[in-house]
Amino acid sequence: MADTALKADTALKQDPGTLAVGLLAADPAPGSTPGPTAQEIAAIREDFPVLHRTVGGHRLVYLDSAATSQRPRSVLDAETAYSTGCNAAVHRGAHTLAEEATDAYEAARSAAAAFVGLGPDQIVWTRNATEALNLVAGVLSDPLTAQDPHAAPLALRPGDEVVVTEMEHHANLVPWQRACARSGARLRWLPLTDDGRLDLTRLEEIVTPATRVLSFAHVSNVLGTINPVDVLVARARQVGALVVLDACQSVPHLPVDLSALDVDLAVFSAHKMLGPTGLGVLAGKAEILQALPPFLTGGSMVSTVTMETATFQDPPQRFEAGTPPVSQTVALHAAVDYLTALGMDRVAAHDRTLTARALAGLRDLPGIRVLGPVQAVDRVGAVSVVVDGVHPHDVGQVLDASGIAVRVGHHCAQPVHRRYGATASTRASLYVYSTPDEVDAFLDALSGVRAYFKKA
Amino acid sequence: MSLDQLYQQVILDHDRERHGCGLRPAPEGTADAESHQVNPLCGDQVTLRVAVRQTPDGPVVQDVSWAGEGCSISQASLSVLYDLVVGRPVPEAEELLGAFRTMIRSRGTVEPDEEVLGDAVAFVGVSRHANRVKCAMLGWAAFEDALHRADAGPVPATAAPVPLTAVPVPVTADPVPATADRGEDR
């Protein structure tokens, strides 16, 4: 599967020096790699079949990639090729198909690991990132963890503290609420500044020697803010806290090296990075994964089972109970290859350019408030807005009438909306196939919304 | 379906005017109850109070008042509800409620009866948008819940008053349609 041909490959592997720096690269951060040219983006779009459909007679303008990204043909083809040419249970069976399936499954693990700077044994497949976070929070608050000689130092106990931030997705908040309720630990959080960033003025007061876990979003799914992992990790090391990184919105959009970031555990999601649904990743330091007891139990994760007890395999198998989503891992492998061929530096540059264009356009629209940083600095292209006097559901409906797909609602992050005085918002989110024209179409449609509801 | 078929003028007008908006005490001699409903998709909510007066001809919806936040569909729906049910006998209000729910859930297959539904026929376009059904039903689900509890407890002059605030209950009247957005699953 690794050698699946990419249509855009040829164009993208040209010497960057010979590429015309077109309108797409109008606003790169100083010293950064330029993004793809307009011609390259056109070639990329050819790889995504769904982008050629229409909605209500309009060309689809897909601006909801932070919720789920679209899949290129190579990803769809890889999954089909596996399903039609192999499809067998992994890690068992002596037949050819089973061996090929196991090879494909483990090759995908190696590819995903390399993509984030880790080794294959540091990648655990889960059903989604939410399950990965529940795994971590669940195991740390399991009474059995406190009794396990290897894991006991990581176990949450009464008097311990877990720190998150006010900008978390519910998936990195609710599991910790439950973990604290189970273990008697206390949940605390870092507040936010008015301009949509972590307020670190009280960092030392909130992350203290009582803090056992510091779990936070690398990038906010509502604000787009890129959080300073280095600062937070440094503080966690001072106090001896375990660092858990929710990388769902960073791994798809930025070059992410989890080894260099020095986080203990991280999670991300296949379907936000051109891959399939039904597959998440828990990544971690080998010694941390080795110390953690299992979460879900059953087949595939045990060594010896008697009627009374069981022993467990080493990571990552220890955390992969039951039949895994094999064809999805094969598809993610193709997605990782696709993003690698594009180059994550260039993906990030493209994101930055379009984000700057969106933010500049929004500045000129009356009655529109951006949630999050208003400059394309340390933020990605998830741009959430509140339209004065018009509910996000109504905004989304008006945009849909022009074929523009955006996200409306609270985006599974109610506290951050409450922090900025909103119940819900309208979010446009960008990816490798997004174009300046699409950003402009969004701005244009948005500019007519208040007039439609006679609020302007 | 065009945007204007969904957002009929009646809806846009009621969204601005919001009849019955602002919670107020129940008139004397009525039994009242309150219902708080939340749309988990977007966090929109409404608190709605119904006052029922027992008359020789049976119970009558004496007053409805509400406070909430939400989209134009949900706010206009509450405003139209107010216009249609205040002053009506309870059985008629219940019939209206049933007709409204049938129309909204019909996925566009029901031709609404304007004789029964009055201005509420303007919401017919909502039935074609599965993820907006809950918006239109939010206020009506609150009305149904509060009405049942207010009507169940007519207050004789000497009896203890019915508690003003009922326990908040989730919207159970309208389960999330299969196509609706439940959040950002990852």
Side-chain angles (χ1 to χ4, degrees):
Chain A
M1 308 304 157
D3 57 359
T4 309
L6 298 184
K7 225 164 159 185
D9 234 14
T10 322
L12 295 167
K13 283 185 176 158
Q14 288 174 29
D15 174 6
T18 67
L19 294 173
V21 179
L23 71 167
L24 284 165
D27 189 20
S32 69
T33 313
T37 64
Q39 290 77 13
E40 287 173 301
I41 295 302
I44 289 169
R45 290 180 67 82
E46 285 301 310
D47 294 335
F48 290 80
V50 77
L51 298 180
H52 297 93
R53 70 162 284 180
T54 59
V55 172
H58 298 271
R59 185 177 58 101
L60 168 66
V61 174
Y62 189 76
L63 298 176
D64 198 17
S65 293
T68 204
S69 59
Q70 296 300 344
R71 295 169 226 173
R73 208 177 291 278
S74 62
V75 168
L76 302 170
D77 288 350
E79 190 162 3
T80 303
Y82 170 81
S83 302
T84 55
C86 182
N87 190 47
V90 297
H91 288 300
R92 69 202 64 204
H95 58 81
T96 301
L97 266 54
E99 281 179 13
E100 288 177 2
T102 304
D103 286 348
Y105 182 69
E106 292 304 329
R109 193 193 306 276
S110 297
F115 189 68
V116 291
L118 298 177
D121 290 347
Q122 297 177 270
I123 296 290
V124 173
W125 300 122
T126 61
R127 280 177 300 173
N128 46 49
T130 298
E131 183 183 283
L133 286 163
N134 274 277
L135 188 165
V136 177
V139 164
L140 295 183
S141 59
D142 184 341
L144 293 174
T145 301
Q147 299 166 20
D148 181 317
H150 301 294
L154 296 169
L156 289 170
R157 293 183 171 83
D160 289 345
E161 293 180 353
V162 172
V163 177
V164 296
T165 81
E166 205 176 359
M167 66 168 79
E168 297 309 319
H169 188 287
H170 296 162
N172 196 33
L173 174 60
V174 181
W176 295 114
Q177 292 173 347
R178 301 287 295 169
C180 288
R182 265 194 300 275
S183 64
R186 174 188 178 206
L187 184 66
R188 304 186 70 182
W189 52 90
L190 294 163
L192 309 182
T193 64
D194 287 343
D195 60 352
R197 298 196 184 276
L198 285 182
D199 179 353
L200 298 175
T201 52
R202 293 171 56 222
L203 178 62
E204 299 196 353
E205 190 186 320
I206 295 168
V207 179
T208 72
T211 307
R212 303 309 306 143
V213 177
L214 173 58
S215 186
F216 61 97
H218 192 179
V219 169
S220 161
N221 70 316
V222 173
L223 309 174
T225 310
I226 303 173
N227 287 320
V229 179
D230 52 347
V231 175
L232 293 165
V233 168
R235 180 57 186 161
R237 295 293 167 248
Q238 284 174 358
V239 300
L242 187 81
V243 178
V244 182
L245 187 70
D246 176 355
C248 284
Q249 298 290 350
S250 57
V251 167
H253 298 281
L254 306 169
V256 173
D257 183 333
L258 293 173
S259 291
L261 290 176
D262 192 32
V263 296
D264 296 306
L265 296 163
V267 306
F268 56 97
S269 178
H271 75 102
K272 294 187 195 296
M273 49 190 293
L274 309 181
T277 55
L279 181 65
V281 174
L282 169 65
K285 287 184 175 170
E287 64 271 24
I288 300 292
L289 291 175
Q290 187 62 49
L292 291 178
F295 179 55
L296 300 177
T297 56
S300 305
M301 48 79 68
V302 283
S303 303
T304 306
V305 180
T306 65
M307 287 311 293
E308 292 81 21
T309 189
T311 59
F312 307 116
Q313 292 203 44
D314 283 337
Q317 279 74 30
R318 184 187 301 164
F319 304 105
E320 294 179 1
T323 303
V326 184
S327 66
Q328 286 89 330
T329 64
V330 172
L332 178 65
H333 190 166
V336 162
D337 284 348
Y338 191 93
L339 288 170
T340 303
L342 287 177
M344 288 307 292
D345 281 333
R346 307 183 74 213
V347 169
H350 182 53
D351 184 275
R352 206 158 41 235
T353 304
L354 292 188
T355 304
R357 190 183 187 98
L359 292 172
L362 288 167
R363 238 168 267 146
D364 296 334
L365 296 184
I368 306 277
R369 180 163 65 101
V370 174
L371 302 182
V374 295
Q375 303 289 341
V377 177
D378 288 337
R379 70 117 71 217
V380 303
V383 181
S384 299
V385 298
V386 173
V387 181
D388 186 24
V390 185
H391 190 279
H393 266 176
D394 294 322
V395 176
Q397 200 85 52
V398 171
L399 265 54
D400 183 63
S402 301
I404 302 171
V406 294
R407 182 62 187 272
V408 299
H410 51 59
H411 323 315
C412 290
Q414 291 181 20
V416 70
H417 279 89
R418 209 168 287 127
R419 166 63 179 82
Y420 295 109
T423 302
S425 64
T426 302
R427 181 186 69 190
S429 55
L430 308 160
Y431 210 6
V432 293
Y433 36 69
S434 303
T435 68
D437 285 350
E438 291 183 312
V439 171
D440 294 349
F442 166 69
L443 294 168
D444 188 48
L446 198 60
S447 71
V449 165
R450 294 177 73 234
Y452 185 82
F453 291 100
K454 313 248 182 339
K455 299 291 168 78
Chain B
M1 192 174 114
S2 82
L3 208 53
D4 294 344
Q5 284 173 290
L6 174 63
Y7 293 111
Q8 295 188 24
Q9 195 57 46
V10 169
I11 294 179
L12 296 177
D13 290 346
H14 273 278
D15 174 36
R16 277 193 301 280
E17 293 167 12
R18 305 193 178 185
H19 300 165
C21 185
L23 281 175
R24 54 179 163 260
E28 266 188 44
T30 62
D32 72 298
E34 202 174 278
S35 177
H36 180 69
Q37 301 284 338
V38 176
N39 182 346
L41 305 186
C42 53
D44 288 351
Q45 49 191 310
V46 65
T47 302
L48 182 142
R49 185 174 297 161
V50 177
V52 172
R53 184 186 299 281
Q54 299 297 336
T55 75
D57 298 326
V60 170
V61 179
Q62 181 73 22
D63 193 31
V64 169
S65 64
W66 57 274
E69 54 181 307
C71 63
S72 62
I73 303 283
S74 72
Q75 301 299 289
S77 179
L78 277 153
S79 178
V80 168
L81 169 77
Y82 170 87
D83 282 4
L84 291 176
V85 301
V86 171
R88 283 238 188 154
V90 167
E92 273 186 39
E94 287 172 333
E95 186 194 350
L96 177 69
L97 185 84
F100 186 76
R101 173 176 287 134
T102 301
M103 173 183 76
I104 293 294
R105 287 177 172 179
S106 72
R107 308 231 163 183
T109 60
V110 165
E111 190 61 41
D113 184 351
E114 195 166 356
E115 291 285 309
V116 176
L117 285 161
D119 271 358
V121 295
F123 293 88
V124 65
V126 174
S127 68
R128 291 189 175 279
H129 293 273
N131 58 357
R132 304 304 298 272
V133 164
K134 229 172 181 49
C135 310
M137 282 308 301
L138 186 70
W140 294 68
F143 174 68
E144 180 177 44
D145 179 43
L147 179 66
H148 283 164
R149 285 190 282 117
D151 191 31
V155 192
T158 55
V162 172
L164 190 65
T165 307
V167 178
V169 289
V171 178
T172 51
D174 292 273
V176 182
T179 54
D181 173 0
R182 292 155 193 268
E184 185 160 290
D185 298 327
R186 320 191 295 172

